[in-house]
Structure formats: C-alpha cells, structure tokens
Amino acid sequence: MKYVFKKVLSCIITLFIVSLLVFVAFSLIPGDPALSRLGTNATEQALASLRHQMGLDRPLVVRYFEWLFNALRGDFGKSYSYNMTVTSMIADKLPITLTLMLYSMVLMVIISVPLGVYASYKEGTAIDKAIQIINQITMAIPPFFSGILITLIFGMTFKMFTPGGFVNIKINPARFFGFMFFPSFAIALPKSAMVLNLLYSSLNGEKKKDYVRTAYSRGNKSKTVFFKHMLKNASIPTITFLGMALADMIAGSIIIEQVFGIPGLGRILLTSIQNRDYPVVIAIIMLIACVVIVSNLLVDIIYKLVDPRVGD
Amino acid sequence: MAKLLHVEDLNIEFHDHLIPETVVYDFDLDMECGEIVGLVGESGSGKSMSALAIAGLLSRHDMKKRGTIQFEGKDILDCPRSELRQLQGDEICMIFQEPLTSLDPVKKIGWQVEESLKIHTQLTPQERKEKALKALADVELDDPSRVYDSYPHELSGGMRQRVMIAAATIGNPKLLIADEPTTALDVTVQSQIVDLLKKINKEKNTAILFISHDLSLVSRLCHRVLVMKNGYVVESGNVKEIFESPKEEYTKKLIEAIPKCEAKPDEKDDEVNMVEVRDVCVSFTRKKERVDVLKHVSIDIKEGEVLGLVGESGCGKSTLAKTIIGLQKPDCGTIIQKYPNTQMIFQDPYGSLNPARKVGLIMEEPLRNLTDMSPEDRRRLAEEMITKVGLTPEYLSRYPAELSGGQRQRVCIATALMLKPRLIIADEPVSALDVTIQAEVLKLMDKLHKDMGISFLFISHDLRVVHQMCDRILVMKSGEIVEEGNRNDIFMNPKHEYTKELLKSAGLTNIFV
C-alpha cells in the first residue's frame, strides 16, 4: 500500500513538472498568437489590445498558476483560433482516441500472449517456426502502412468496413466498435509481434533456469512446470514492455486517425499546431502525459503484484 | 533384498555435434537403503550428468542414454515420464548446487516446500502446511512460520539451501541426490549443511548420493566414494581406504590438491609497511538503515608479504579491499600507500572479463588509460606478461569464451601485472575454480611472489588455501578485525572464539596435535 502511495505521489510530481515545462516552452517559442490571429497588417495598437485581452501581457508566473488552477478544475482556457473553450473542443474527441488506444491494447494482448506461449510450449516444431516467420514480417510493418494494407484488403476488397466511414458511438455503438476494430488492429499488429517475440524468448530463457529443473525433480507435469512456474517469471519483462507499448500507442493512434479518417485528438492536434492555437496544444499534450503516466503507474502496480522482489 | 539403486553400464552421449560426444562411460553404482555414497571429480568429469540421469532429469533430445538404471527393481531409464513422475519428488529427491536460482523467485517458500506433497499425496492444505512447517523446523531454521511466508530473495544462501533440503525431504524419500549442495556456501554454513545431511540420513534412513569436488567434505560425510575423470569411474571403494591408500594417479592428484596444513616456519620480514590503513569506517544506507560495513579498521600490509584476510561473506572483506584500492570512499580514516598501481583480481574469472573483447585488448586497457606507451610497446609487454602467467602469446588474440576458468584467471592475473604493481589484492581468486586448477593458480601466485617480489593481500573464506599461501593472517567478523597474527599462531593457537569456530567448521581443529 505504501508502495502504491509512493508511486502515485511521484506521478503527481511528474505531471506538475511536465505541465510547467510545456507551459514555459510554448511561451518561449517564437511566434505571437495575437499576430497570427490578426495578420501582418494589424496595427501596433490593435495587437497590444488583443494581447491584453488574451492576457498575454501579464508575467509568465502569474499566467502559469492561473492556467494550472483552472486546469485542475477541468478548464483549459479558450482556443485562440475558434471561439470555443478548449475543454468543449476536446471533450468529445478524447473518448474516441482513448477507445482506439485501449482497443489496440486489448487486441495486442489477445494476439500476442497466447501465440507467444503456444510457440514457446511447442518450441522447435513446425508450428513454432511458422509463428516466428509471420512474426518477423509483421514486426517490420509500421502502423500507418499496416493501416493502408488493412484498408485495402478488408475495406476495399472484402468490404468488411467502409473506409472513412466513421460512425459515432452515440449513433450506433455496434457499428462504432466494428469500424474501430480495423484501425486498432493496425496499431496492435506490429506491437503484438514485439510482445510475442519478447514473451517467447523470455519463456525459452526460463526453460534453462535451475528452478525449472527443481520443479521437474519434484515430479511436476511438463504443463504444470510451464504454466505454474515459468509463465509468471517470464511475464515480468513482458509487463514492462506492455507499459512502454501503451505509451507508444497514443502516438500510433494519432497517425492512424489520419489514415482511417477518425475525428479523434490527432486531427485537432495537427490543426492546432499549424494555427499556433497553443491552449489546445498544451491541453492535448497534458492529456497524453496523463495517459502515459497513469499507464506506467498501472504497470508498476502489476509489476509489484507479480514480482515480490520489486521495491519494499 | 532388492537393491535400492542399481546402475549398470550407463553411457551418456551428446549428439549436438557431428561427432557424438560421450560424457559418461560404463557407469556402475549400487546403493543400499541408508547408505551415503560420494561422487567426486572435477567439473566436466560426468558426475552431475550421471546423477541427473539417475534422477530422471536428463531428457534432452540431443542426448542418448544406454545401460540400466533400476530403482527398487523398477527400470527407470527408459520408462515414460508419466511413470517417472511418480517417483520424482516422492521416492527420489534432489538438492542442487545453487540455492539462489534453484528456487522459483516468484513463489513463496511454503508453496515450494509443499509442492511435492501436492503432487504425490492427497493431504488437505492444512495438513500440508503442518508438514511443511515441521520440515522447515527439522532443517533447523529459526522461526519456520516466518520462512514459510517468505520469498526466496528474503533468505540468505544457507537458509535457502536448508529450504531446498526441507522441500526434498518432506515426503521422506528413499534416495536423496545432492549435487554439489555446499559449493556455493560459506565454510561455516557448508559444515552445518553436511551435519544436517548426516542427521537426515541417521533419523530417516535416507540414502544419499553426495556429489562434490570437495574431498574433505566427502570424507566427513560418506561411507563409500566413486572418483570420476573424463566420464570414467577411475576408482571406487570405502572412503577410508581411498583417502589413505589411493591407487589411481588421478585420485592421488585430487587428494594432493587439497591444500595441506603443515606447520611451516614463520619467515621474518624486514617489517616495512607498504600500506597503512588507519581507523577506516565505511557504511552503506540500506532501506534507510545505516549498515556499518567497516568499523574503525586498521591494518598494515608489509613489503614482500602475503597477507591473508579471512571471514564469512558479508563480513566486509571485499569492502576493505575496495577501500584500499580506492573503489570505495571511506567515511573516515586514512589509507597511505607507498607504491602506486595496486591491482586487484576478482573471484569470478567468467564475469570479470568483457566477453566482446580479445584478451590482448583487455590486457592493454590499463596501459591505454594510464600511460602514453606506444601500441607496439603495449603489445610487447602484454606478450611478456601472458608468458609469465604460463600461457603463450597466441592467447592474446582469443576471446574470453574460448578459455577455461583457470586460463581466464591467469589472464586476470596477467592484466593485473601490466602496470607492474608492488601489491596485488586477490579477492577470492580461486574459489570459483576446480580443486586441481585451484592448486595451479595458487602455485602461479606463489611464483610471482617469489620471483617478482610482489606482495599479496589474499582474501578468502577457505582456510586451507589461506594457510598454504599466507605468512600473516587477519580474521574479520562483522566489519572488525578480531584477530591478527602469524600463520602458525592463528592456526595452532587461535585466541578469538570466532577464529576457533572458523577452524572447527573447516575441519582444521587439532590438525597439528
């Protein structure tokens, strides 16, 4: 329990530091939001009054704490480009991106874990070799390309979904999840190959360990040795990788959203960066940071549950 | 009465290369109930292979076994694993060398001790727990219920080996196979484990097949002994007969390789200190608790002497060595060295050489870092030094993986010689080596001491080795030097209780009387 508390505390501190860095960085980047909004023909006077109106003439420290205080209550300020609050702009996009990410995560585990375990259990057989070959190929394909391939094969050829035909969850949940399967699969595929490979080689590594020999010497069945002793030990490095993969998936989903035409965070992030709409960009970066940090926290907690040697 | 174990003409072959390699030839062994048989030989002699075959744990595809292994009349060499399983962990149990890695790191001790009961009996969880607690108490572990709920990493090496024994004996097996069960342990713990095995043998009439390369332990524990070399049993018979009148050359060599403790005259030196350590303290913070590793230690190393430093693991020997050489900063106290370039040799010749670099490059490294010698001069010096340690210059272009353990330790010594040190600190330099190779490396160090006048600080837990090598001895316990004296004083007339205890567990009491 103390372990969890410590981890949560360090997460909060990390988030605080990230927010400070991001806020300061975007204030120091050259480029004046007021100027970009009014255009180069604007008068000095108009610019100054807009800057005052946007609060840009106040000291950085004051602006940061004001932003932080509001952000903690869920208010990320107003978009520079659109006459909307950042929160309302993001609110309906965030669940889409999160769904995409979690969906990919689930698919990744469903694909990689059973196959990795099976391949290692059947080490040296034809089926093991077949899994290895397919795995090598999949690992080399980047998500955006697998996205294009999936669109081509499942969308255009087999007509299993309509490319670009995103359906909102509120309109038709079944079709929403049906459509989302394909982009999620595109993200999950190369990552699954990596998880499979890692789990496979750590399982094979465990086979040579002394405790496995001990387990056999007690008269265990091969199956029991494999599933009761080796699997838990081999899962330790895999869990670490799952945490990293989860953080990486959010980047994957931003690209995949473009390929499949999904109105998620990816699209607003790109347009906001182009328009120097900093409040939106900062808010999205903070959300991504939150997701990454929380997923790492989860990994740390799972890690502790699996491996008694971790931190005391 | 049928024999407990009958092994006849056991041959084990590996088929992982083009030409099959036989590792065990015509191995014969008969064991009765309650008998303790020792199996000795160097690593690679086939003793572990034979033992694993008897336990039914050699089942690799690239391995062929021929001959007969019968346990209570039942043939177990060719029977399927489903039948073999009924015996394993129930009638035949095993203890392994490495108690750290032989336990599953993510399962609680209790679970692991009970495991064979779960497989072979119909006991309820409550009954199993009772039996496990009793087994843990039987192996003389304090507080069995705490150990029951612990994980392996929370226990010391000796405790883990006791746990292994508890797990192996919980179902009262008829045959216990112990594969080098004490090699990885401290000398005092070794002796306790041997006593424990003796007790189990006496109380439960368990037959024990004890595999070891330590002949002194074998002579204390076993009734009969088999000596193996290159896959052959070269000699077998009663322990006493073999030790008193060995017939085979190899057995004689093995017995001779046990460092002897003969009274040697103390040599008087000209008493010049080359290293003065004064009042040195070192502490670490572990889990927010301060651990004092060295407590006001003061020692002198005299010119031209071989100084022994003995004590159990964790007593601060290695920390003291590191402090002298400057790898560890002391909290307080001073260290004065008369000469620069003091070098260190470490215990594990496998781990201390970078596997990705050739020997020549490894040896030249200190020169590249600390001198501006030309590459040709460096190479020439490396050739000179590798010859000094008894290898040829061809070895410079090999990788560490292509060398044996003894050769690697020679390379480590040659590397230490590159900077022409006056003092070499050797931290357990031979404890990872086989007994005959141990003797060769010790001989080499003795030669370097005599020919080149190099002083050694010799750290070891093996008192026999220390007696053979050292002029003066320091005994260390929990960060303090408890006794200091000339070799003969320490061995013949120990004053401190701890020194007496160390000598006793090494089986060295009354050796000169």
Side-chain angles (χ1 to χ4, degrees):
Chain A
M1 217 43 233
K2 207 178 144 200
Y3 176 82
V4 174
F5 179 74
K6 253 166 124 176
K7 286 281 167 198
V8 171
L9 196 70
S10 83
C11 284
I12 293 171
I13 294 168
T14 317
L15 268 178
F16 179 74
I17 294 169
V18 170
S19 72
L20 188 66
L21 280 177
V22 171
F23 196 86
V24 170
F26 277 99
S27 308
L28 297 180
I29 289 174
D32 184 347
L35 190 69
S36 68
R37 202 157 137 191
L38 290 177
T40 38
N41 295 332
T43 60
E44 266 309 308
Q45 210 184 352
L47 278 173
S49 84
L50 184 61
R51 282 202 196 102
H52 180 74
Q53 198 190 325
M54 289 166 84
L56 291 172
D57 53 346
R58 287 177 304 148
L60 188 60
V61 184
V62 176
R63 280 192 286 143
Y64 172 67
F65 280 103
E66 192 185 71
W67 172 85
L68 184 69
F69 185 68
N70 288 329
L72 286 176
R73 293 180 309 171
D75 174 11
F76 287 94
K78 261 179 94 172
S79 157
Y80 290 165
S81 317
Y82 305 97
N83 197 15
M84 283 170 85
T85 61
V86 176
T87 315
S88 67
M89 276 174 77
I90 295 176
D92 51 339
K93 310 282 191 295
L94 181 65
I96 297 173
T97 302
L98 279 184
T99 312
L100 189 58
M101 209 183 91
L102 290 176
Y103 208 156
S104 330
M105 185 77 186
V106 171
L107 280 180
M108 181 175 86
V109 174
I110 291 177
I111 297 169
S112 61
V113 173
L115 279 178
V117 169
Y118 190 70
S120 172
Y121 192 64
K122 296 269 174 195
E123 193 195 353
T125 60
I127 188 123
D128 164 35
K129 280 170 194 145
I131 292 175
Q132 290 308 314
I133 292 168
I134 295 168
N135 202 35
Q136 290 297 331
I137 298 167
T138 338
M139 204 185 299
I141 302 175
F144 73 88
F145 187 60
S146 63
I148 294 169
L149 281 182
I150 285 168
T151 312
L152 202 68
I153 299 168
F154 298 105
M156 317 282 269
T157 314
F158 293 109
K159 310 248 182 266
M160 290 167 76
F161 71 106
T162 323
F166 175 78
V167 183
N168 197 306
I169 189 166
K170 283 170 199 150
I171 297 168
N172 189 336
R175 282 191 59 197
F176 169 77
F177 282 107
F179 179 82
M180 290 296 261
F181 172 82
F182 296 95
S184 308
F185 189 59
I187 299 171
L189 209 53
K191 285 271 179 302
S192 316
M194 291 174 199
V195 176
L196 193 158
N197 205 5
L198 188 69
L199 185 62
Y200 176 79
S201 52
S202 31
L203 273 169
N204 286 353
E206 294 299 319
K207 284 179 189 165
K208 295 176 193 82
K209 296 260 176 86
D210 288 346
Y211 74 85
V212 172
R213 189 177 56 181
T214 310
Y216 276 115
S217 82
R218 292 195 187 129
N220 276 301
K221 289 179 193 152
S222 306
K223 222 191 222 161
T224 326
V225 175
F226 195 88
F227 288 101
K228 274 210 173 148
H229 287 275
M230 284 163 54
L231 195 54
K232 199 170 169 192
N233 278 288
S235 67
I236 294 168
T238 315
I239 290 168
T240 316
F241 184 77
L242 283 181
M244 291 189 279
L246 190 64
D248 206 31
M249 270 176 180
I250 200 149
S253 44
I254 284 170
I255 296 167
I256 280 295
E257 280 174 13
Q258 307 305 309
V259 177
F260 284 83
I262 297 166
L265 281 182
R267 203 182 271 175
I268 348 176
L269 181 64
L270 292 181
T271 47
S272 307
I273 290 173
Q274 277 161 4
N275 296 340
R276 295 186 199 287
D277 196 348
Y278 294 155
V280 181
V281 179
I282 293 174
I284 294 176
I285 292 178
M286 286 313 294
L287 283 174
I288 293 176
C290 271
V291 171
V292 171
I293 286 167
V294 169
S295 60
N296 274 321
L297 175 70
L298 286 177
V299 166
D300 280 340
I301 293 168
I302 296 172
Y303 210 82
K304 170 83 182 163
L305 291 177
V306 174
D307 189 350
R309 287 164 295 186
V310 171
D312 272 312
Chain B
M1 186 179 93
K3 291 225 163 32
L4 180 71
L5 179 72
H6 173 69
V7 184
E8 201 179 317
D9 287 336
L10 176 68
N11 281 269
I12 302 173
E13 280 174 24
F14 275 109
H15 286 259
D16 53 350
H17 295 290
L18 278 176
I19 307 158
E21 185 193 357
T22 309
V23 287
V24 175
Y25 294 94
D26 304 334
F27 181 90
D28 293 332
L29 171 68
D30 279 305
M31 278 180 80
E32 308 281 352
C33 287
E35 201 179 17
I36 310 184
V37 176
L39 194 52
V40 298
E42 289 172 43
S43 35
S45 62
K47 54 188 194 320
S48 289
M49 285 293 156
S50 315
L52 288 172
I54 293 167
L57 292 172
L58 276 190
S59 57
R60 283 168 42 181
H61 303 293
D62 51 5
M63 191 177 280
K64 280 221 172 77
K65 294 165 286 183
R66 280 183 289 116
T68 322
I69 302 176
Q70 284 178 341
F71 182 79
E72 294 190 310
K74 185 178 161 55
D75 194 13
I76 59 171
L77 187 60
D78 295 315
C79 79
R81 205 180 132 64
S82 54
E83 284 174 41
L84 195 56
R85 248 174 19 84
Q86 310 301 324
L87 293 175
Q88 286 176 335
D90 193 28
E91 307 271 316
I92 306 176
C93 286
M94 262 198 100
I95 313 169
F96 300 97
Q97 176 172 0
E98 283 291 341
L100 173 59
T101 53
S102 296
L103 290 165
D104 188 339
V106 301
K107 291 275 195 302
K108 283 189 176 168
I109 296 295
W111 192 94
Q112 302 195 45
V113 171
E114 287 175 12
E115 193 179 15
S116 56
L117 294 182
K118 246 174 284 176
I119 299 165
H120 299 289
T121 67
Q122 310 290 326
L123 298 176
T124 64
Q126 192 51 42
E127 288 167 331
R128 284 204 300 259
K129 185 171 179 180
E130 275 165 27
K131 276 202 125 183
L133 286 173
K134 188 176 173 299
L136 290 170
D138 280 349
V139 293
E140 291 157 12
L141 280 163
D142 306 326
D143 203 354
S145 50
R146 191 183 63 82
V147 173
Y148 185 90
D149 283 319
S150 300
Y151 285 102
H153 71 280
E154 294 166 325
L155 307 179
S156 72
M159 286 165 87
R160 286 193 205 117
Q161 197 60 294
R162 282 170 198 271
V163 167
M164 282 296 290
I165 296 175
T169 52
I170 192 167
N172 288 329
K174 291 187 179 134
L175 174 63
L176 182 65
I177 301 175
D179 188 2
E180 303 256 9
T182 60
T183 311
L185 303 173
D186 263 341
V187 60
T188 40
V189 185
Q190 278 186 2
S191 139
Q192 290 162 2
I193 296 290
V194 166
D195 289 342
L196 182 62
L197 289 175
K198 256 187 180 165
K199 190 183 104 178
I200 288 166
N201 169 260
K202 211 176 244 168
E203 286 173 4
K204 301 183 175 172
N205 201 31
T206 311
I208 300 176
L209 180 59
F210 185 78
I211 298 143
S212 179
H213 65 252
D214 189 334
L215 283 129
S216 53
L217 288 179
V218 169
S219 68
R220 273 175 63 193
L221 179 69
C222 303
H223 308 136
R224 271 195 307 137
V225 64
L226 272 70
V227 182
M228 282 190 88
K229 187 197 179 188
N230 299 337
Y232 289 99
V233 174
V234 291
E235 192 162 0
S236 67
N238 188 290
V239 164
K240 223 175 156 200
E241 281 167 21
I242 296 239
F243 271 78
E244 283 170 6
S245 49
K247 290 186 190 71
E248 293 294 320
E249 271 314 304
Y250 182 69
T251 318
K252 283 180 195 159
K253 204 173 139 206
L254 271 184
I255 294 171
E256 269 164 31
I258 306 176
K260 295 288 181 307
C261 294
E262 295 150 357
K264 293 192 213 166
D266 283 327
E267 290 152 33
K268 277 277 165 277
D269 285 308
D270 36 351
E271 312 280 300
V272 182
N273 290 342
M274 64 189 310
V275 175
E276 288 181 3
V277 176
R278 289 287 170 273
D279 219 17
V280 162
C281 301
V282 172
S283 64
F284 297 129
T285 313
R286 196 174 296 149
K287 288 185 197 167
K288 288 183 187 150
E289 266 176 57
R290 219 176 85 119
V291 183
D292 292 308
V293 185
L294 296 180
K295 301 169 190 158
H296 301 281
V297 172
S298 298
I299 66 166
D300 294 327
I301 303 176
K302 300 195 167 69
E303 216 157 301
E305 78 171 344
V306 179
L307 178 63
L309 180 58
V310 298
E312 283 177 59
S313 42
C315 74
K317 301 188 299 265
S318 296
T319 309
L320 180 57
K322 281 186 199 156
T323 315
I324 293 175
I325 210 162
L327 288 173
Q328 171 70 47
K329 220 170 145 338
D331 298 348
C332 63
T334 56
I335 294 154
I336 301 167
Q337 295 208 40
K338 205 172 156 198
Y339 303 102
N341 295 343
T342 296
Q343 292 294 300
M344 198 156 168
I345 307 168
F346 298 93
Q347 171 173 8
D348 184 1
Y350 293 88
S352 26
L353 296 174
N354 183 344
R357 288 192 168 178
K358 288 183 178 168
V359 168
L361 201 64
I362 293 172
M363 285 180 61
E364 288 172 32
E365 193 169 26
L367 295 181
R368 262 201 315 280
N369 295 341
L370 300 171
T371 67
D372 43 12
M373 264 172 134
S374 70
E376 294 77 40
D377 288 346
R378 290 201 302 248
R379 177 56 51 156
R380 213 168 301 130
L381 193 65
E383 284 174 6
E384 187 192 330
M385 290 310 169
I386 198 118
T387 324
K388 270 218 162 72
V389 298
L391 299 173
T392 52
E394 285 90 75
Y395 280 89
L396 294 178
S397 50
R398 295 201 188 167
Y399 285 102
E402 300 167 66
L403 308 178
S404 70
Q407 285 170 340
R408 282 178 211 217
Q409 200 57 295
R410 280 170 198 268
V411 168
C412 290
I413 295 174
T415 312
L417 291 176
M418 291 295 274
L419 285 170
K420 309 215 160 114
R422 301 292 303 151
L423 172 66
I424 292 179
I425 299 178
D427 190 359
E428 304 264 9
V430 294
S431 47
L433 304 173
D434 264 338
V435 61
T436 46
I437 295 159
Q438 210 174 56
E440 284 167 22
V441 172
L442 291 176
K443 217 161 126 193
L444 170 67
M445 290 172 73
D446 197 42
K447 187 170 158 264
L448 295 174
H449 169 62
K450 294 212 169 85
D451 295 356
M452 301 173 74
I454 297 171
S455 306
F456 282 93
L457 173 60
F458 194 95
I459 301 170
S460 181
H461 65 253
D462 189 336
L463 283 146
R464 293 159 194 277
V465 173
V466 168
H467 183 273
Q468 186 188 327
M469 290 293 292
C470 304
D471 312 316
R472 214 156 56 83
I473 291 158
L474 304 169
V475 182
M476 201 165 183
K477 194 196 177 196
S478 329
E480 286 170 291
I481 303 286
V482 294
E483 191 162 356
E484 177 179 356
N486 288 332
R487 171 183 47 216
N488 290 348
D489 295 343
I490 295 273
F491 275 81
M492 290 199 273
N493 191 13
K495 299 211 167 50
H496 197 275
E497 273 312 308
Y498 182 67
T499 315
K500 288 179 192 164
E501 195 190 317
L502 276 180
L503 289 169
K504 196 177 149 219
S505 16
L508 291 176
T509 35
N510 306 327
I511 196 147
F512 305 111
V513 182

